Structures are given as structure tokens and as C-alpha cells.
Amino acid sequence: MVLFTCYKMPLNKEKPCGTEEPMSDSDTSRLSESTTSSSDNESPRESFTSDSSCKNASPSSSPPKPVTLDDMMATTRNLGNLMLAHEIVTNGNFQINHIDPPQNSLEGRVKQIVHKAFWDCLESELNADPPQYTYAIKLFDEIKEILLSFLTPGTNRLRTQICEVLDVDLIKQQAEHNAVDIPKLGGYIITIMAKLCAPIRDEDVKNLKATGNVVQMLRDVFRVLDLMKMDMVNYTIQNIRPQLQHQLVEYERGKFQDILEKTPDALNQTTEWINGSLRDAMQKTSGESSSDASGESMDNLSPTLVLNRGYLKLLQVDYQNAVPETLITEDLRIQDLRHKLQQIKIVASVCLVTQNAIGPYCTSAFTDHIKEISAILLQGINNRAFNLRETLTALSVKLCFEMNKSLKERGLTILSSEAQMNLQGQICSIIEKDHPIYNLIEKRIQEYLSIFLCLPYPYKRVPLLPGGLTTVQKELEFVAFHFANIVNFNKQVYGPFYANIFRKLLFSEAPGKPVETVSS
């Protein structure tokens, strides 16, 4: 699939903030307030902190029960439907394509053998004396049904005409008297296909010919009809997308509830993900105050900000835990944003290191040139075979050359050998954990994204960009915008489940200890 066009959802209607707000009794009660609807204008805060009056919005604990094969199959179907509906809505470029198996594969060989056997039987029937039309009649009947499936409800005249010309009973009577004019039927079919096909198929239909080779003509007709069926499916998907957008929140929530009922441990990873974010928040709170981590600091935790902290952790390059079940539909998009963000961090660090090395002689044009070179060399960073260390080494050599070239063109002194070695060392060590500039850039980006997740929708403004990130402003805003859409839509769908997990973690169990799975 093609990279997503993100589904625009409202963002969190909380004020931008850098510290966690105290959690009062009213906060916890809002986690379980019910909402009457989940319209497009509903705020994520309301969705996240609400339950629905129906069953699927209030997951509760229940003792473990054995999972049967039927339950597993039902879970697989529900998950497949959930992911398909989510992909249709969130990916504006989503299409279903006709894919033939490789010819050297077992599936490809079986398909080739079966198809050849069928067409050989058809050819032998038509070449018999007198000709037999058993298989041909079945094919014409199938073609008729396919053509009728392309028609809209208002095309009664064309529907009647197709049924009359491709009337199976009439063709059978003609076959009994050896009077079937297959080339004429083929020409009519091709004419109708030309009327019904999408513009992209005009050339394919034009190449069809109603020749004397009946078998080849029918094979070509079915090949193009298969393509037209894919076009119709994709056209239908495009038309139902707006309707799905209005119903997706409740649909996904309902499907996930069905999965939870069949598979009680379907929130294990999500619970562990939230628990880890909660522990991190408590440690940070206890480090900033003298209160005990299991005492007063818990009262200062905001579930929304704790959850945002968990979302941001998914963008970290070193995040190795399993993806939470509630984010499985967004896994590929989050991975793509994670790689983009890693590239942004490295480019920003390289530009800052270079600016420090060249000092007051650095111009905005030269910085843009450095950014362009860095971005080009870092393409493919999401590829497993990509060697980042070798790339940084090559980049450091290239930047030294470009820097000396720029200084020389302006009649300035080029860098000394020692300065070049120092610059190359700083660039090559960017991926090290203790690199001060990279760590600074990473911290500022983390703060920027954290504030972005708190912005209300629609965006009247974006957060002020921290120092050192001006060079990558456009790219960073792109990542922040798309990630905020993912986060806030996810809160709308799974807010009731998150609220129940928070209640268990904050009030039912000792903090930091494993908790039982949330299930229904």
C-alpha cells in the first residue's frame, strides 16, 4: 500500500502545557462519563474520557476462559474487518489490486495448469464435429452476470438489452441447430465493455478483437473483465469512504469489543504499555519533588498526559516492545513517522554541528545546502540494510569538502586539518548516546511534540519552534500533524478501554506492579 493520506481528526482540547496537571476526583469521574454520540465534531477529550451507554464501551474484568478454535477464527475475522475499514478511511490512496502469483510458485503452477485444462476443453468442444457449446454457454452466462454487476440501478434499458442478447436459453436453442454466432456475441460484449469500463481501461478494451480464434478472444475478455471488477471495487471504496468516516469510531470500538469478548487477553500489551508510561511519569514526578513515588506523586498525574507520554515513546528509535493491540491498525504509519523523525533529528544535529564549526560565516543558503545533502544521503534509513554509521562517515567527508569550497569561494580561510577531523568526529558520533547536540535536539523535539498533542483542533496556530529546529521546521510540522491525527483518533476509538485500564492501575493495584488483563 501507498503511504497514507492521514484522516484529519480533532486534537485534544487541552491547553498546551509542559507540566502534568493534578488529577482530582472530577478527573477520574470524567474517565467514565458517557457520551451520546461520536460525531466528527466530538472532541477527543470527550471521547477519551467517556464511556458509552452500550456494552461495547465499558469493558470490565472477568475470569479467564478457554479460547476455542471458533473464537480464534471469529477474532481473526473481526480484526481483518477492523483493519480493512480503518485502512479505507485513513489511507486516501488505498486500492485493491489484482495480483497474479509468481509463475514459478506452487500456486502459480496450479493456476496455470487448471486454466490451461479449462481452455483446452473449450477449444476441443468448439473444434468437434458438430461443435459443442457446453463450456461456451457457461462462459457467456458468467460474462452476462459480470456485465450486469457493473450497471447502476437506473440503467434498465441497457440491462434489458444485455439480458436479451446474452440470453442463455436462446443461445442453447441456437447451439442445438449449430447456429451460434460466437464472433458476433464477442463483438457485442466488447462494445458493452467499452461503454462500461473506466477511462484507464479504454486501451485494454480497444485491443480486444472479435476474431475467429474464439478461445483467445474469450480469454482476453475475461482478463479485461477481471481488471474492470477491480476498478469497480475501488470505485465503490471511494464512494463509501465518506460514510465510513462518520461511523468508523463506533465501528472500530464495536469490533474491538467483539475481539475482547472472544480473546480475554487482547489488552495485555496495551496494559503493559500504559503501565510503563505511568511508571515513567511517576519517576519523573518523584524526581521533581520530594514526595514518595507511590504516595503523593500519584495525585499529580494526568491520565491524558501519561497517555501522551506513551504515544511519544512509540516514536523513539530504540522502542522495542510489542505494539499495543489498540494501535495495531496504525503500526505501519507509526513506523514510517518514527523513521522520518529519526532522519529529522540527524539532519537538525548535522546542521547545528556545521553551523557551530563555520561560525559567523555560515549563511542560510549554505545551511539549506547542507540540509539537502544530508537528507539525500539519509534516504532509505528505514531499510534494514541501511548502514547509518557508514552513511555518517561519508556525510562528514562530503560536508567538509562543501564547507571548504564555500569558504574558498568567498575568499575566506578554509578549515584546518584539525578542525576538519573534529567536525568529522562530531558528525560520525551523532548516533552515540552521549552526543550533546543530538540529545539536545531530541529533547526539544520531544517537548515540541508533547505540546502539539495538547493543541485544540482546528489548528489556529502551531507551537513555537524551539531553538535549533528552524532548519527542519517544515518536516517536523509534517510529522507532528500526522502523528497528532493518529493519536487523537485513537483516543476517540479506544478511550473507554484506556479509562478502564487507568482505573485499575491507579486505584486497584499497587503502582508499578503487573495487573490482570482488562477484558469483558
Short mmCIF file of all heavy atoms in Angstrom, two decimals, residues 356-402:
data_model
loop_
_atom_site.label_atom_id
_atom_site.label_comp_id
_atom_site.label_asym_id
_atom_site.label_seq_id
_atom_site.Cartn_x
_atom_site.Cartn_y
_atom_site.Cartn_z
N ASN A 356 28.01 25.52 13.96
CA ASN A 356 28.97 25.83 15.02
C ASN A 356 30.40 25.81 14.49
O ASN A 356 31.26 26.60 14.93
CB ASN A 356 28.83 24.83 16.18
CG ASN A 356 27.52 25.00 16.94
OD1 ASN A 356 26.93 26.09 16.90
ND2 ASN A 356 27.08 23.96 17.60
N ALA A 357 30.66 24.91 13.54
CA ALA A 357 32.03 24.78 13.01
C ALA A 357 32.41 25.96 12.12
O ALA A 357 33.53 26.45 12.16
CB ALA A 357 32.17 23.46 12.25
N ILE A 358 31.46 26.43 11.31
CA ILE A 358 31.77 27.51 10.38
C ILE A 358 31.60 28.89 11.02
O ILE A 358 32.11 29.89 10.52
CB ILE A 358 30.90 27.39 9.10
CG1 ILE A 358 31.53 28.16 7.96
CG2 ILE A 358 29.48 27.84 9.35
CD1 ILE A 358 30.85 27.92 6.62
N GLY A 359 30.82 28.90 12.13
CA GLY A 359 30.69 30.15 12.90
C GLY A 359 29.93 31.23 12.16
O GLY A 359 28.94 30.96 11.46
N PRO A 360 30.39 32.48 12.25
CA PRO A 360 29.65 33.62 11.67
C PRO A 360 29.63 33.62 10.15
O PRO A 360 28.89 34.39 9.55
CB PRO A 360 30.40 34.83 12.21
CG PRO A 360 31.79 34.34 12.49
CD PRO A 360 31.62 32.93 12.95
N TYR A 361 30.43 32.79 9.52
CA TYR A 361 30.46 32.75 8.07
C TYR A 361 29.37 31.86 7.47
O TYR A 361 29.29 31.71 6.25
CB TYR A 361 31.83 32.26 7.59
CG TYR A 361 32.97 33.09 8.12
CD1 TYR A 361 33.91 32.54 8.99
CD2 TYR A 361 33.11 34.43 7.76
CE1 TYR A 361 34.96 33.30 9.49
CE2 TYR A 361 34.15 35.20 8.26
CZ TYR A 361 35.07 34.64 9.13
OH TYR A 361 36.08 35.40 9.62
N CYS A 362 28.58 31.25 8.34
CA CYS A 362 27.51 30.36 7.85
C CYS A 362 26.34 31.20 7.35
O CYS A 362 25.86 32.10 8.04
CB CYS A 362 27.06 29.42 8.97
SG CYS A 362 25.83 28.21 8.44
N THR A 363 25.86 30.90 6.17
CA THR A 363 24.71 31.59 5.59
C THR A 363 23.51 30.65 5.55
O THR A 363 23.65 29.42 5.63
CB THR A 363 25.02 32.07 4.17
OG1 THR A 363 25.27 30.93 3.34
CG2 THR A 363 26.23 32.98 4.17
N SER A 364 22.32 31.23 5.40
CA SER A 364 21.11 30.41 5.32
C SER A 364 21.14 29.53 4.07
O SER A 364 20.67 28.38 4.10
CB SER A 364 19.87 31.30 5.32
OG SER A 364 19.91 32.22 4.23
N ALA A 365 21.68 30.04 2.99
CA ALA A 365 21.77 29.25 1.75
C ALA A 365 22.68 28.05 1.95
O ALA A 365 22.39 26.94 1.47
CB ALA A 365 22.29 30.13 0.60
N PHE A 366 23.80 28.25 2.66
CA PHE A 366 24.71 27.14 2.91
C PHE A 366 24.06 26.11 3.83
O PHE A 366 24.23 24.90 3.62
CB PHE A 366 26.01 27.66 3.52
CG PHE A 366 27.02 26.57 3.80
CD1 PHE A 366 27.71 25.96 2.77
CD2 PHE A 366 27.27 26.15 5.10
CE1 PHE A 366 28.63 24.95 3.02
CE2 PHE A 366 28.17 25.15 5.37
CZ PHE A 366 28.86 24.55 4.32
N THR A 367 23.32 26.57 4.84
CA THR A 367 22.63 25.64 5.74
C THR A 367 21.61 24.81 4.98
O THR A 367 21.49 23.60 5.20
CB THR A 367 21.94 26.41 6.87
OG1 THR A 367 22.90 27.18 7.59
CG2 THR A 367 21.24 25.46 7.83
N ASP A 368 20.88 25.45 4.06
CA ASP A 368 19.91 24.70 3.25
C ASP A 368 20.62 23.68 2.36
O ASP A 368 20.10 22.58 2.13
CB ASP A 368 19.11 25.67 2.38
CG ASP A 368 18.17 26.54 3.20
OD1 ASP A 368 17.84 26.16 4.34
OD2 ASP A 368 17.77 27.62 2.69
N HIS A 369 21.79 24.05 1.88
CA HIS A 369 22.56 23.12 1.05
C HIS A 369 23.01 21.91 1.87
O HIS A 369 22.94 20.76 1.40
CB HIS A 369 23.77 23.85 0.47
CG HIS A 369 24.60 23.02 -0.48
ND1 HIS A 369 24.06 22.38 -1.58
CD2 HIS A 369 25.93 22.72 -0.48
CE1 HIS A 369 25.01 21.72 -2.21
NE2 HIS A 369 26.15 21.92 -1.57
N ILE A 370 23.45 22.16 3.10
CA ILE A 370 23.86 21.06 3.99
C ILE A 370 22.67 20.16 4.30
O ILE A 370 22.77 18.93 4.32
CB ILE A 370 24.46 21.64 5.29
CG1 ILE A 370 25.75 22.40 5.00
CG2 ILE A 370 24.71 20.53 6.30
CD1 ILE A 370 26.82 21.57 4.34
N LYS A 371 21.52 20.79 4.54
CA LYS A 371 20.31 20.02 4.83
C LYS A 371 19.94 19.12 3.65
O LYS A 371 19.58 17.94 3.83
CB LYS A 371 19.16 20.98 5.15
CG LYS A 371 17.80 20.31 5.27
CD LYS A 371 16.70 21.35 5.38
CE LYS A 371 15.34 20.70 5.31
NZ LYS A 371 14.24 21.69 5.38
N GLU A 372 20.02 19.66 2.44
CA GLU A 372 19.68 18.89 1.25
C GLU A 372 20.61 17.70 1.07
O GLU A 372 20.16 16.58 0.79
CB GLU A 372 19.73 19.80 0.02
CG GLU A 372 19.33 19.11 -1.27
CD GLU A 372 19.42 20.04 -2.47
OE1 GLU A 372 19.82 21.21 -2.29
OE2 GLU A 372 19.10 19.59 -3.58
N ILE A 373 21.90 17.91 1.25
CA ILE A 373 22.87 16.82 1.12
C ILE A 373 22.60 15.74 2.17
O ILE A 373 22.59 14.54 1.87
CB ILE A 373 24.31 17.36 1.26
CG1 ILE A 373 24.65 18.28 0.08
CG2 ILE A 373 25.31 16.21 1.33
CD1 ILE A 373 25.99 18.97 0.22
N SER A 374 22.36 16.17 3.40
CA SER A 374 22.11 15.22 4.49
C SER A 374 20.86 14.40 4.23
O SER A 374 20.84 13.17 4.43
CB SER A 374 21.99 15.97 5.82
OG SER A 374 23.16 16.74 6.07
N ALA A 375 19.80 15.07 3.80
CA ALA A 375 18.54 14.36 3.55
C ALA A 375 18.69 13.33 2.44
O ALA A 375 18.13 12.23 2.52
CB ALA A 375 17.45 15.37 3.20
N ILE A 376 19.45 13.68 1.40
CA ILE A 376 19.65 12.74 0.29
C ILE A 376 20.41 11.50 0.75
O ILE A 376 20.03 10.36 0.44
CB ILE A 376 20.39 13.44 -0.87
CG1 ILE A 376 19.49 14.51 -1.50
CG2 ILE A 376 20.84 12.43 -1.92
CD1 ILE A 376 20.18 15.33 -2.56
N LEU A 377 21.47 11.71 1.50
CA LEU A 377 22.28 10.57 1.95
C LEU A 377 21.55 9.71 2.98
O LEU A 377 21.84 8.52 3.11
CB LEU A 377 23.60 11.06 2.55
CG LEU A 377 24.61 11.65 1.54
CD1 LEU A 377 25.87 12.11 2.26
CD2 LEU A 377 24.95 10.64 0.46
N LEU A 378 20.59 10.30 3.69
CA LEU A 378 19.86 9.55 4.72
C LEU A 378 18.60 8.90 4.18
O LEU A 378 17.85 8.29 4.95
CB LEU A 378 19.51 10.48 5.88
CG LEU A 378 20.68 10.93 6.75
CD1 LEU A 378 20.26 12.02 7.71
CD2 LEU A 378 21.28 9.76 7.52
N GLN A 379 18.35 9.03 2.88
CA GLN A 379 17.20 8.33 2.32
C GLN A 379 17.41 6.82 2.44
O GLN A 379 18.50 6.31 2.26
CB GLN A 379 17.03 8.70 0.84
CG GLN A 379 16.47 10.09 0.62
CD GLN A 379 16.31 10.42 -0.85
OE1 GLN A 379 16.72 9.64 -1.72
NE2 GLN A 379 15.73 11.57 -1.14
N GLY A 380 16.33 6.13 2.76
CA GLY A 380 16.43 4.68 2.96
C GLY A 380 16.81 4.31 4.37
O GLY A 380 17.20 3.16 4.63
N ILE A 381 16.70 5.27 5.31
CA ILE A 381 17.08 4.98 6.69
C ILE A 381 16.17 3.93 7.31
O ILE A 381 16.52 3.28 8.30
CB ILE A 381 17.05 6.29 7.53
CG1 ILE A 381 17.82 6.10 8.84
CG2 ILE A 381 15.63 6.75 7.78
CD1 ILE A 381 18.01 7.40 9.60
N ASN A 382 14.98 3.75 6.73
CA ASN A 382 14.05 2.74 7.24
C ASN A 382 14.36 1.35 6.71
O ASN A 382 13.73 0.38 7.11
CB ASN A 382 12.62 3.12 6.85
CG ASN A 382 12.44 3.27 5.36
OD1 ASN A 382 13.39 3.60 4.64
ND2 ASN A 382 11.25 3.01 4.86
N ASN A 383 15.34 1.26 5.82
CA ASN A 383 15.74 -0.05 5.28
C ASN A 383 16.66 -0.76 6.26
O ASN A 383 17.58 -0.17 6.81
CB ASN A 383 16.44 0.16 3.93
CG ASN A 383 16.57 -1.13 3.15
OD1 ASN A 383 16.76 -2.21 3.73
ND2 ASN A 383 16.47 -1.04 1.84
N ARG A 384 16.40 -2.02 6.49
CA ARG A 384 17.21 -2.78 7.44
C ARG A 384 18.67 -2.89 7.00
O ARG A 384 19.57 -2.99 7.84
CB ARG A 384 16.63 -4.19 7.63
CG ARG A 384 15.31 -4.20 8.40
CD ARG A 384 14.88 -5.62 8.70
NE ARG A 384 13.66 -5.65 9.50
CZ ARG A 384 13.10 -6.78 9.95
NH1 ARG A 384 13.64 -7.95 9.66
NH2 ARG A 384 12.00 -6.71 10.67
N ALA A 385 18.88 -2.87 5.71
CA ALA A 385 20.25 -2.98 5.20
C ALA A 385 20.99 -1.65 5.24
O ALA A 385 22.17 -1.59 4.92
CB ALA A 385 20.23 -3.52 3.77
N PHE A 386 20.30 -0.59 5.64
CA PHE A 386 20.91 0.73 5.67
C PHE A 386 21.95 0.80 6.79
O PHE A 386 21.67 0.48 7.94
CB PHE A 386 19.84 1.80 5.91
CG PHE A 386 20.34 3.21 5.83
CD1 PHE A 386 20.48 3.84 4.61
CD2 PHE A 386 20.67 3.91 6.98
CE1 PHE A 386 20.93 5.15 4.53
CE2 PHE A 386 21.12 5.21 6.91
CZ PHE A 386 21.25 5.84 5.69
N ASN A 387 23.18 1.20 6.44
CA ASN A 387 24.27 1.31 7.42
C ASN A 387 24.43 2.78 7.79
O ASN A 387 25.03 3.56 7.06
CB ASN A 387 25.56 0.74 6.84
CG ASN A 387 26.64 0.57 7.90
OD1 ASN A 387 26.82 1.42 8.78
ND2 ASN A 387 27.36 -0.54 7.83
N LEU A 388 23.89 3.15 8.94
CA LEU A 388 23.89 4.55 9.34
C LEU A 388 25.29 5.05 9.65
O LEU A 388 25.65 6.19 9.33
CB LEU A 388 22.98 4.73 10.57
CG LEU A 388 22.83 6.16 11.10
CD1 LEU A 388 22.35 7.10 10.01
CD2 LEU A 388 21.89 6.17 12.30
N ARG A 389 26.10 4.20 10.25
CA ARG A 389 27.46 4.64 10.62
C ARG A 389 28.29 4.96 9.38
O ARG A 389 28.99 5.98 9.32
CB ARG A 389 28.14 3.55 11.46
CG ARG A 389 29.40 4.01 12.17
CD ARG A 389 29.91 2.91 13.09
NE ARG A 389 28.95 2.60 14.12
CZ ARG A 389 28.85 3.29 15.28
NH1 ARG A 389 29.64 4.32 15.49
NH2 ARG A 389 27.97 2.93 16.18
N GLU A 390 28.21 4.11 8.36
CA GLU A 390 28.94 4.37 7.12
C GLU A 390 28.40 5.62 6.42
O GLU A 390 29.17 6.40 5.84
CB GLU A 390 28.83 3.17 6.18
CG GLU A 390 29.61 1.95 6.64
CD GLU A 390 29.53 0.82 5.63
OE1 GLU A 390 28.87 1.01 4.59
OE2 GLU A 390 30.13 -0.25 5.87
N THR A 391 27.09 5.81 6.49
CA THR A 391 26.49 6.99 5.86
C THR A 391 26.97 8.27 6.53
O THR A 391 27.28 9.26 5.85
CB THR A 391 24.95 6.90 5.93
OG1 THR A 391 24.51 5.70 5.27
CG2 THR A 391 24.31 8.11 5.27
N LEU A 392 27.04 8.27 7.85
CA LEU A 392 27.51 9.46 8.57
C LEU A 392 28.98 9.74 8.27
O LEU A 392 29.39 10.91 8.18
CB LEU A 392 27.29 9.28 10.07
CG LEU A 392 25.82 9.30 10.54
CD1 LEU A 392 25.74 9.05 12.04
CD2 LEU A 392 25.17 10.64 10.20
N THR A 393 29.76 8.69 8.10
CA THR A 393 31.16 8.88 7.74
C THR A 393 31.29 9.55 6.37
O THR A 393 32.05 10.50 6.18
CB THR A 393 31.89 7.53 7.73
OG1 THR A 393 31.80 6.92 9.03
CG2 THR A 393 33.36 7.71 7.37
N ALA A 394 30.52 9.03 5.39
CA ALA A 394 30.54 9.62 4.06
C ALA A 394 30.01 11.06 4.10
O ALA A 394 30.52 11.95 3.41
CB ALA A 394 29.71 8.77 3.10
N LEU A 395 28.98 11.27 4.93
CA LEU A 395 28.40 12.61 5.04
C LEU A 395 29.40 13.60 5.63
O LEU A 395 29.49 14.75 5.17
CB LEU A 395 27.14 12.55 5.91
CG LEU A 395 26.42 13.87 6.18
CD1 LEU A 395 25.96 14.51 4.86
CD2 LEU A 395 25.23 13.65 7.11
N SER A 396 30.16 13.17 6.62
CA SER A 396 31.14 14.06 7.25
C SER A 396 32.22 14.50 6.26
O SER A 396 32.62 15.66 6.23
CB SER A 396 31.77 13.38 8.46
OG SER A 396 32.55 12.26 8.07
N VAL A 397 32.67 13.57 5.43
CA VAL A 397 33.68 13.90 4.42
C VAL A 397 33.10 14.88 3.39
O VAL A 397 33.74 15.86 3.00
CB VAL A 397 34.18 12.62 3.73
CG1 VAL A 397 35.14 12.97 2.58
CG2 VAL A 397 34.86 11.70 4.73
N LYS A 398 31.88 14.60 2.96
CA LYS A 398 31.22 15.47 1.97
C LYS A 398 31.01 16.88 2.53
O LYS A 398 31.24 17.88 1.81
CB LYS A 398 29.88 14.85 1.58
CG LYS A 398 29.04 15.69 0.62
CD LYS A 398 29.70 15.86 -0.73
CE LYS A 398 28.79 16.59 -1.69
NZ LYS A 398 29.44 16.87 -3.00
N LEU A 399 30.61 16.98 3.79
CA LEU A 399 30.35 18.30 4.37
C LEU A 399 31.63 19.10 4.54
O LEU A 399 31.63 20.33 4.36
CB LEU A 399 29.63 18.14 5.71
CG LEU A 399 28.21 17.57 5.65
CD1 LEU A 399 27.55 17.61 7.01
CD2 LEU A 399 27.36 18.31 4.63
N CYS A 400 32.71 18.43 4.90
CA CYS A 400 34.00 19.13 5.00
C CYS A 400 34.40 19.71 3.64
O CYS A 400 34.87 20.85 3.53
CB CYS A 400 35.08 18.18 5.51
SG CYS A 400 34.99 17.87 7.29
N PHE A 401 34.19 18.92 2.60
CA PHE A 401 34.51 19.39 1.25
C PHE A 401 33.65 20.59 0.88
O PHE A 401 34.14 21.60 0.35
CB PHE A 401 34.31 18.24 0.25
CG PHE A 401 34.41 18.67 -1.19
CD1 PHE A 401 35.66 18.86 -1.78
CD2 PHE A 401 33.27 18.92 -1.95
CE1 PHE A 401 35.76 19.26 -3.10
CE2 PHE A 401 33.37 19.32 -3.27
CZ PHE A 401 34.62 19.50 -3.85
N GLU A 402 32.33 20.49 1.13
CA GLU A 402 31.42 21.58 0.79
C GLU A 402 31.72 22.84 1.61
O GLU A 402 31.62 23.96 1.10
CB GLU A 402 29.97 21.13 1.02
CG GLU A 402 29.48 20.04 0.09
CD GLU A 402 29.42 20.50 -1.35
OE1 GLU A 402 29.24 21.72 -1.59
OE2 GLU A 402 29.53 19.64 -2.25
#
